[in-house]
Amino acid sequence: VAERTTTHVEHLTTSDRLAHWLVAAGLLDTAPTATAADLAAAVHLREALYAVLRATSDGRPLPADALARVHAAAAGPAVVLTLDAAGGLHRGGDVAAALSAVARAAIELVGGPDRHLLRWCADAACTHPFLDRARGGRRRWCGMSGCGDRAKARAYRARHR
């Protein structure tokens, strides 16, 4: 979801888009066959992860229903890792395996030493989380290409009016 707090632009609109996102995100090497049920599971997991990450960054207790959904997804099958003859790494599996990998990564983040680095983009239209590994711990945007660039351009225009 882009612009969650304003226009709420949904990007996972079809099972094909989900399958292609799993490859683009580096979870799988080839797009799996995805169903409408897989799409629904992915969206439900995404919303549960949003609730868990938001609670974590706000210092609130983790919501039990969202946590249960994340745990259920994490208990799914694992992505199958293989090596080819040249030592190249390959990731295979179905949608459930890829979603399980996402849920496990979130559990490791929230339960690990980097949880205090979790921040939310300062762009009002963006709701992307990121880990602030900047030396001073004062990063404001999820990325400079996009949100950071837009903010700097707005500030520049405001100064030169």
Side-chain angles (χ1 to χ4, degrees):
V1 171
E3 303 176 18
R4 181 182 291 269
T5 58
T6 56
T7 58
H8 194 88
V9 179
E10 176 64 65
H11 291 289
L12 289 180
T13 54
T14 67
S15 53
D16 284 342
R17 289 193 77 170
L18 169 63
H20 291 294
W21 178 81
L22 295 174
V23 173
L27 296 164
L28 300 172
D29 290 344
T30 58
T33 301
T35 66
D38 291 330
L39 177 61
V43 169
H44 285 112
L45 176 60
R46 181 194 65 206
E47 295 306 312
L49 290 171
Y50 179 82
V52 167
L53 294 178
R54 188 55 83 176
T56 298
S57 67
D58 292 347
R60 292 182 287 114
L62 303 180
D65 57 336
L67 197 55
R69 187 173 298 272
V70 172
H71 287 160
V79 170
V80 177
L81 301 177
T82 58
L83 296 172
D84 60 26
L89 177 66
H90 299 280
R91 292 173 176 84
D94 59 6
V95 174
L99 295 180
S100 180
V102 170
R104 288 182 187 130
I107 289 171
E108 287 184 22
L109 170 63
V110 172
D114 290 340
R115 81 183 282 162
H116 71 282
L117 301 176
L118 182 64
R119 305 280 188 277
W120 294 90
C121 186
D123 187 329
C126 181
T127 52
H128 293 160
F130 64 91
L131 295 179
D132 184 1
R133 296 188 190 281
R135 188 174 13 174
R138 298 175 62 177
R139 191 170 137 198
R140 298 186 56 213
W141 302 287
C142 59
M144 282 310 296
S145 62
C147 295
D149 286 343
R150 282 190 301 275
K152 287 187 174 200
R154 277 192 303 271
Y156 175 84
R157 284 191 302 271
R159 283 192 310 270
H160 289 87
R161 281 189 189 148

